[in-house]
Amino acid sequence: MNRLMLPVLAGIGFLAPAFLATAAFAGPTDVTGEWTRSDGNARVRIAPCGSKVCATNVWIKDPSGGEAVGDRLVMTVSAKGDDTLAGTAYDAKRSLTYSMEMKVGPDKLHTRGCVLADMICRTVSWTRAN
């Protein structure tokens, strides 16, 4: 996998991922807040940004993989079932758009981001930090 894609797919998955506001903040699919990636290398804040929702890196333990504080994914997703959001995520830093699926639990989040017509995918687990 291309080294430039790894940080993005790991970041939100993805980091970290613009929502339709009603899907992002209603019921069991509420993903707003801070999330810590399962490998312990990143924390993202998922919050509204204009009419979209963004996943922004707020802390990176090891930036050598290309991730940096302030990196942001702008997500457009909608509800796909009771606990799943699906759509796209745009990474302006790398000029890439990912297909995105997010499975949301009260304190857990699993993101799956794919590029190249869903040929290269990565799933990342997150724990709610706040």
Side-chain angles (χ1 to χ4, degrees):
M1 180 180 300
N2 182 324
R3 266 193 82 149
L4 288 179
M5 287 185 231
L6 281 174
V8 176
L9 290 175
I12 144 60
F14 164 198
L15 268 44
F19 285 108
L20 298 174
T22 56
F25 306 111
T29 55
D30 180 11
V31 296
T32 59
E34 288 194 12
W35 297 87
T36 302
R37 196 167 62 206
S38 62
D39 67 2
N41 195 56
R43 181 179 280 192
V44 299
R45 178 177 300 119
I46 300 178
C49 57
S51 63
K52 312 272 186 198
V53 171
C54 293
T56 305
N57 288 343
V58 294
W59 178 82
I60 299 295
K61 181 177 182 180
D62 178 9
S64 67
E67 293 177 279
V69 170
D71 286 356
R72 179 169 65 171
L73 294 179
V74 179
M75 298 178 286
T76 304
V77 297
S78 58
K80 178 184 170 188
D82 290 341
D83 64 352
T84 303
L85 300 167
T88 61
Y90 178 68
D91 177 356
K93 180 177 179 178
R94 294 168 183 85
S95 297
L96 292 171
T97 299
Y98 304 87
S99 64
M100 175 65 62
E101 187 169 288
M102 305 168 79
K103 186 166 181 81
V104 185
D107 297 317
K108 297 287 183 185
L109 173 66
H110 300 281
T111 58
R112 181 172 174 81
C114 300
V115 294
L116 299 175
D118 292 345
M119 292 179 57
I120 300 174
C121 299
R122 181 163 182 171
T123 300
V124 178
S125 296
W126 303 82
T127 302
R128 191 175 289 279
N130 56 351

